[in-house]
Amino acid sequence: VQLQASGGGLVQTGGSLRLSCDASGHTFSNYNMGWFRQAPGKERVFVAAVSRNHSKKYNIDAVKGRFTISRDNAKNTVYLQMSDLTPEDTAVYYCAAGDRRTWFTNRDYDYWGQGTQVTVSS
């Protein structure tokens, strides 16, 4: 699976962005999809995930109520709608695809996009 993330940018505190991740090369609906982020000087960490058929969604407590993950299997795209952004959300955001039973670590995913930078100014 080839993944292409887009939609990052510079936004002020309280602003919103929608990240997109377009997939190609394999059957998109066979994969769970996740978003991770890596802040400067820190490890890449899980943010949110959605199951193959939309039935399950997970996100970390730090983004609950602010970020929403969704997918459109007809368009081979996964989204991360982000609102009420804070400087702590500043990071490179990566989308990932995996077919394991677990969802929450880097090892659960086999395919990665190139990352898109999100910068939130105070």
Side-chain angles (χ1 to χ4, degrees), residues 21-40:
C21 177
D22 297 316
S24 62
H26 286 267
T27 304
F28 180 68
S29 58
N30 286 347
Y31 295 92
N32 302 315
M33 296 299 297
W35 284 99
F36 287 70
R37 66 186 180 186
Q38 186 169 21

Side-chain angles (χ1 to χ4, degrees), residues 1-4 21-26 28 33 75-78:
V1 178
Q2 289 79 49
L3 301 174
Q4 180 74 36
C21 177
D22 297 316
S24 62
H26 286 267
F28 180 68
M33 296 299 297
K75 295 183 177 180
N76 292 347
T77 302
V78 61

Side-chain angles (χ1 to χ4, degrees), residues 1 3 6 9 20 22 25-26 28-29 32-33 48 60 62 67 73 78 80 89 91 100-101 103 105 110-111 118:
V1 178
L3 301 174
S6 62
S20 299
D22 297 316
H26 286 267
F28 180 68
S29 58
N32 302 315
M33 296 299 297
I60 57 174
F67 290 14
N73 286 349
V78 61
L80 188 67
D89 297 314
R100 292 174 174 76
R101 293 183 180 181
W103 301 49
T105 72
D110 297 306
Y111 304 99
V118 172

